[in-house]
Amino acid sequence: MNPALPVTAARAALARCHACHLLSRMKPLAPGSHAHCPRCGAALHLRKPDSLARAWALTLAAYILYIPANTLPIMTVVSMGHGEPDTILSGVRVLIAGGLWPLALLVFFASVVVPVLKLLALTCLLISVQRKSRWRPRDRTVLYRITEVVGRWSMIDVFMISILVALVKLGAIATIEPGAGALAFAAVVVVTMFAAMSFDPRLIWDALENPDER
């Protein structure tokens, strides 16, 4: 520990409860014992346990799920007994062919661009922390915050299909059936949200507290 560095929460043994967010000072503990929050009783940790391992596992699972999410049909519009399944990209092409450019751009951005950028951002953060990088920690923290907030908005496709299924099934002429791609896409969004929640952004700053380690 370098005494010239400013005092941080970890150096002062201050831990925030993951359940009720109460800030507590951790006392020295015997080996094998754990500190607990004085308010709710949850276990206290200076950093999220196994943060990198869990975030890596969930991010890799999201990469795998992203393949069926874009190759399997996301929905099938059945009209007069006939229907043709559509993937995300073929649905975008249909919207463009119908002149619905704003909706096509919205679906493409929310369903293709946002998940890819979120996966790349998580991968970049995980690699930089694992390599104990000291490159622009403030910018990487901002990147994490943006990734955490923006990811949930890529559920717009799932919301849209749910609304369409409910509305169109009210009619007798046509119905919309969700496909396996919609399930895979929802899984990608949920898994990446859990990956972002598992990542501990304080690990970004830990490399600066131990400049001799690499």
Side-chain angles (χ1 to χ4, degrees), residues 130-147:
Q130 199 140 27
R131 292 177 58 83
K132 301 186 184 303
S133 170
R134 292 190 286 276
W135 180 74
R136 305 179 76 164
R138 188 182 299 275
D139 291 341
R140 282 186 287 149
T141 304
V142 172
L143 176 63
Y144 170 74
R145 298 297 179 202
I146 295 173
T147 303

Side-chain angles (χ1 to χ4, degrees), residues 19 26 38-39 48 104 119 136 157 159 171:
M26 296 179 66
R39 183 160 64 185
K48 293 178 182 176
L119 285 171
R136 305 179 76 164
D157 255 21
F159 293 148

Side-chain angles (χ1 to χ4, degrees), residues 11-201:
R11 289 160 64 89
L14 291 172
R16 191 188 68 165
C17 176
H18 299 307
C20 70
H21 297 176
L22 176 69
L23 188 66
S24 307
R25 186 180 298 278
M26 296 179 66
K27 298 176 181 176
L29 298 170
S33 58
H34 301 281
H36 292 84
C37 174
R39 183 160 64 185
C40 70
L44 289 177
H45 306 280
L46 290 176
R47 298 290 180 266
K48 293 178 182 176
D50 304 321
S51 170
L52 284 183
R54 287 188 291 121
W56 264 122
L58 291 166
T59 303
L60 292 176
Y63 273 115
I64 295 170
L65 287 167
Y66 189 73
I67 298 171
N70 281 275
T71 55
L72 294 178
I74 196 165
M75 67 178 181
T76 303
V77 180
V78 180
S79 177
M80 307 298 287
H82 299 284
E84 186 174 344
D86 278 309
T87 62
I88 292 175
L89 290 178
S90 68
V92 171
R93 284 197 297 269
V94 170
L95 290 172
I96 292 174
L100 300 172
W101 277 92
L103 187 57
L105 288 174
L106 178 64
V107 171
F108 181 78
F109 180 76
S111 304
V112 179
V113 177
V114 170
V116 169
L117 290 180
K118 187 173 182 182
L119 285 171
L120 292 177
L122 283 171
T123 305
C124 175
L125 290 170
L126 287 167
I127 291 175
S128 68
V129 168
Q130 199 140 27
R131 292 177 58 83
K132 301 186 184 303
S133 170
R134 292 190 286 276
W135 180 74
R136 305 179 76 164
R138 188 182 299 275
D139 291 341
R140 282 186 287 149
T141 304
V142 172
L143 176 63
Y144 170 74
R145 298 297 179 202
I146 295 173
T147 303
E148 192 180 30
V149 170
V150 168
R152 67 197 67 172
W153 290 101
S154 54
M155 284 288 276
I156 190 169
D157 255 21
V158 179
F159 293 148
M160 192 171 68
I161 292 171
S162 303
I163 293 171
L164 286 174
V165 168
L167 290 177
V168 177
K169 274 194 174 178
L170 294 175
I173 299 176
T175 59
I176 292 182
E177 299 173 352
L183 185 61
F185 184 79
V188 170
V189 176
V190 172
V191 169
T192 51
M193 288 172 66
F194 278 115
M197 291 166 61
S198 300
F199 181 76
D200 194 333

